[in-house]
């Protein structure tokens, strides 16, 4: 079967290999690297990661499904993760979720039909002193309110 | 104002992006001089200095760091490992992020010293997956350290070698628990292990392993440079040295990080003198003093001195020093329901009491919150919590049970109002 992971993926892994006494320890780094390239982990991607590590695809899935950051379903171009844990709720995070849901016409956990936005409720992001907080792809946005959120959304094409 | 003046180790650098670079660290922060000094000391001498410092783990359990290092067997046939717990997953905690993005070299130097002390040549920083930016900053700092001979082969011309790798988690609270973390590091599901064996006997990849929190390891260079005794005296109580980074969030005027002597102030002082009091000058309703796993305190209880032992004495804990403040108009039933939902979501599912009990408590709390509860639900909650507490492999179960028990006991009237009024009085 044709490979879907790039040469860069394999080079990156090669560099990491000597850093671990076992190859299986590369599973989380490999899943991160694969997701970076493909934006989500399709069954084909999981298979290829398993082949590289030398474990069965079911073992890859067993591990990948334990962690919330691995997207086992496609996600939108902009992935909003709004923290709704204690500190963020105390500072009104639920309003942000409601606002996103209304504005984008989807519920938390869903992706817009044009595949542009995915909105999720997140557990604690570790930004409680600057709550409410959210992640947009890899970046943190803190001390949010509805107005700021609108500005951020308006900046995304 | 009840402010204490004290020397701080970390907080003056937070916000200063220059501080994260090697040049700044070498010039302005006596960078890597502690490592140089430690490499001329015997392993035992380093460990005994750390014991003298009364440094206690900043990750949650408060275990004395020097004592823990002493558990590593001298004669081990397997390689030993040093793992930094940078999972920072306890809700309410946000100190390790600043330590990693503003003073990464303190952590790296601390780890190299710890590696020398326990005889390990391999270290990992297990960082929560969400901290993508911080992981990149750490990678860059590690590269700088390698290029200056502070990591890698024959560090600073000695015969000690130490490799350090950043390993990203992928979103799972349980990977903050040290044995869940080790499984995750090994490429498995982050399910906690049966203890014993403890990590110091058989940890990462089967080898003797020390797991320490970011703040714990970042304190090590100071202890080596200025002495264990000096560090011990920074703390105001016996057996608890140094300063602590308190993470204050919720309904205070000035949330954020505060670095204060361990045991130097009371919870009341922190909230009212340092954080400026409650938002909108409202009344205080409740405080969670040590991350969401810590049993809640009422306004009558906040004269407690902020440190490990005093909080333990009143039935709660300092944990990771994540202090969440709640003002009078926020519904506590809603709050504990949210907390419990978190534990139900994060339970790894291995132990039945935790897997079933957390979800069950969440369901009962949810129905009370929404006005469908019954009087007997309060006894039921206490009973479920009691059937989780102490009956699981790791402390996640206790972390879920303790808060529920404390909210039900201390704020019973709030629950009864929901039950009798058949709705949330705050809604
Ligand atoms: C459910 C659970 C979550 C934990 N999360 C963290 C965490 O995010 N960071 C941390 O340093 N310790 C965490 N701990 C504590 C670790 O198990 C361990 O005690 C700590 O990393 C040891 O380091 P220290 O001695 O330097 O504190 C957690 C413990 C439990 C039971």
């Amino acid at each position: 079967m044709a490979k879907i992971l790039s040469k860069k993926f394999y080079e990156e892994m090669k560099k990491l290999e000597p850093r671990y006494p076992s190859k299986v320890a590369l599973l989380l780094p490999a899943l991160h690297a694969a997701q970076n390239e493909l934006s989500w982990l399709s069954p084909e991607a999981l298979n290829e990661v398993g082949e590289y590590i030398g474990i069965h695809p079911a073992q890859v899935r067993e591990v990948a499904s334990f962690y919330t950051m691995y997207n086992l379903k496609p996600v939108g171009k902009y992935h909003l993760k709004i923290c709704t844990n204690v500190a963020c709720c105390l500072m009104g995070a639920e309003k942000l979720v409601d606002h996103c849901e209304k504005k984008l016409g989807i519920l938390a956990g869903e992706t817009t039909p044009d595949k542009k936005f995915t909105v999720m409720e997140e557990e604690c992001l570790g930004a409680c002193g600057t709550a409410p907080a959210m992640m947009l792809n890899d970046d943190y946005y803190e001390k949010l309110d509805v107005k700021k959120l609108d500005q951020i959304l308006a900046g995304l094409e | 104002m009840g402010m204490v003046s004290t020397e701080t180790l970390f907080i003056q650098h937070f916000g200063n992006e220059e501080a994260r670079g090697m040049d700044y660290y070498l010039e302005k922060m006596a960078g890597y001089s502690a490592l140089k000094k430690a490499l001329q000391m015997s392993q035992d001498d380093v460990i005994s200095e750390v014991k003298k410092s009364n440094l206690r783990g900043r990750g949650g359990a408060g275990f004395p760091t020097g004592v823990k290092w002493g558990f590593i067997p001298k004669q081990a046939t397997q390689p030993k490992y040093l793992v930094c717990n940078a999972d920072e997953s306890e809700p309410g905690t946000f100190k390790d992020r600043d330590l990693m993005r503003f003073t990464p070299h303190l952590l790296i130097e601390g780890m190299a010293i710890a590696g020398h002390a326990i005889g390990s040549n391999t270290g990992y920083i297990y960082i929560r997956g969400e901290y993508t930016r911080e992981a990149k900053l750490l990678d860059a700092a590690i590269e700088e350290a390698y290029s200056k001979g502070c990591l890698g082969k024959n560090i600073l011309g000695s015969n000690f070698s130490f490799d350090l790798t950043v390993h990203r988690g992928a979103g799972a609270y349980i990977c903050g628990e040290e044995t869940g973390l080790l499984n995750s590091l090994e490429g498995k599901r982050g399910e906690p292990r049966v203890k014993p064996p403890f990590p110091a006997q058989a940890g990462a990849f089967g080898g003797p392993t020390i797991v320490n929190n970011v703040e714990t390891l970042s304190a090590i260079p100071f202890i080596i440079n200025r002495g264990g005794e000096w560090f011990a005296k920074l703390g105001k109580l016996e057996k608890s040295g140094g300063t602590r980074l308190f993470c204050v969030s919720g309904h205070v005027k000035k949330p954020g990080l505060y670095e204060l002597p361990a045991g130097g102030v009371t919870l009341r002082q922190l909230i009212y003198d340092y954080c400026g009091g409650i938002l909108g000058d409202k009344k205080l309703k409740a405080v969670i003093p040590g991350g969401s796993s810590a049993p809640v305190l009422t306004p009558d209880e906040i004269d407690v001195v902020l440190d490990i032992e005093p909080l333990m004495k009143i039935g709660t804990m300092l944990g990771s020093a994540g202090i969440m403040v709640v003002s009078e108009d926020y519904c506590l039933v809603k709050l504990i329901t949210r907390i419990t939902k978190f534990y139900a979501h994060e339970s790894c599912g291995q132990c039945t009491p935790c897997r079933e009990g957390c979800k069950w408590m969440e369901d009962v709390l949810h129905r009370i919150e929404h006005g469908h509860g019954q009087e007997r639900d309060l006894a039921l909650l206490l009973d479920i919590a009691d059937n989780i507490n102490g009956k699981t492999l790791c402390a996640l179960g206790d972390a879920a049970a303790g808060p529920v028990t404390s909210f039900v006991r201390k704020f019973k009237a709030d629950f009864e109002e929901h039950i009798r009024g058949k709705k949330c009085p705050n809604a």
Side-chain angles (χ1 to χ4, degrees), chain B residues 137-330:
Chain B
L137 291 171
L138 281 173
D139 275 333
I142 287 172
E143 205 165 298
E144 283 182 311
Y146 269 100
S147 75
K148 292 267 156 77
C150 300
L151 284 175
K153 282 223 158 50
N154 300 106
I155 288 179
L156 301 173
S158 71
N159 54 16
F160 173 63
S161 301
F162 188 68
D163 281 310
L164 186 56
T165 304
V166 176
H167 189 96
R168 288 179 62 212
Y173 168 64
I174 195 61
C175 293
E177 195 280 337
E178 58 186 12
T179 61
L181 184 156
L182 293 174
N183 273 339
S184 180
L185 176 66
E186 292 181 10
K188 303 175 187 151
R189 293 162 69 86
E191 289 165 347
R193 299 174 178 174
V194 180
K195 284 170 277 189
F198 291 96
Q201 303 158 274
F205 310 105
T209 301
I210 289 295
V211 181
N212 273 136
N213 173 258
V214 175
E215 189 185 350
T216 312
L217 289 164
S218 300
I220 299 299
F222 296 100
I223 293 170
I224 297 304
N225 263 338
R226 304 183 60 179
E229 233 163 84
W230 165 82
F231 189 89
K233 282 207 193 100
L234 284 179
K236 297 302 165 213
L237 302 177
E238 244 186 282
K239 299 247 148 56
S240 179
T243 61
R244 293 204 62 134
L245 287 165
F246 295 101
C247 321
V248 190
S249 64
H251 300 144
V252 290
K253 288 182 186 165
K254 290 184 284 180
L257 290 175
Y258 293 86
E259 184 175 358
L260 294 161
V265 299
T266 63
L267 185 50
R268 182 185 302 280
Q269 279 175 296
L270 181 61
I271 294 173
Y272 288 96
D273 298 344
Y274 289 85
C275 300
I278 309 301
L279 270 180
D281 291 315
K282 291 193 178 137
K283 275 209 304 220
L284 174 68
K285 178 130 186 197
V287 189
I288 298 168
S292 70
S293 305
V296 67
L297 295 176
T298 66
D300 296 338
E301 294 175 300
I302 63 168
D303 288 306
V304 64
V305 170
L306 270 179
D307 205 12
I308 300 166
E309 308 290 339
L311 281 162
M312 205 145 61
K313 264 197 204 119
I314 61 166
T316 183
M317 61 185 187
L318 182 57
S320 52
I323 296 162
M324 296 187 276
V325 180
V326 189
S327 85
E328 57 186 333
D329 47 11
Y330 200 86

Side-chain angles (χ1 to χ4, degrees), chain A residues 16 18-29 32-33 36 55 59 61-70 81 83-92 94 121-131 135-143, chain B residues 81 88 90-94 97 122 124 126 128-133 146 163-172 174-175 184-191 205 248-251 255-256 279 292 324-326 330 334-335 338-339 341-342 345-346 348:
Chain A
L16 283 178
R19 302 207 153 242
Y20 297 91
S22 92
K23 199 159 178 196
V24 183
L26 286 157
L27 183 50
L28 267 64
H32 278 305
N36 266 349
I55 55 177
Q59 289 170 289
R61 177 170 287 275
E62 181 194 32
V63 172
S65 64
F66 187 82
Y67 300 94
T68 55
M69 283 181 75
Y70 294 129
K81 302 175 179 179
C83 176
T84 58
N85 203 295
V86 182
C88 283
C89 270
L90 289 174
M91 301 308 283
E94 287 143 312
E121 282 189 40
E122 276 295 303
E123 291 301 353
C124 187
L125 292 175
C128 322
T130 43
M135 286 182 84
L136 167 56
N137 297 344
D138 279 347
D139 287 306
Y140 273 65
Y141 291 82
E142 293 157 71
K143 290 191 184 168
Chain B
Y81 296 96
E88 187 143 82
E90 177 69 22
T93 317
F94 51 92
R97 182 179 173 213
T122 313
Y124 298 99
Y126 184 99
R128 60 177 301 170
E130 291 84 355
Y131 287 172
T132 321
R133 301 293 165 205
Y146 269 100
D163 281 310
L164 186 56
T165 304
V166 176
H167 189 96
R168 288 179 62 212
I174 195 61
C175 293
S184 180
L185 176 66
E186 292 181 10
K188 303 175 187 151
R189 293 162 69 86
E191 289 165 347
F205 310 105
V248 190
S249 64
H251 300 144
L279 270 180
S292 70
M324 296 187 276
V325 180
V326 189
Y330 200 86
K334 180 182 161 101
L335 189 71
R338 182 62 189 83
I339 291 175
K341 180 179 165 205
F342 169 73
H345 180 258
E346 300 296 335
C348 80

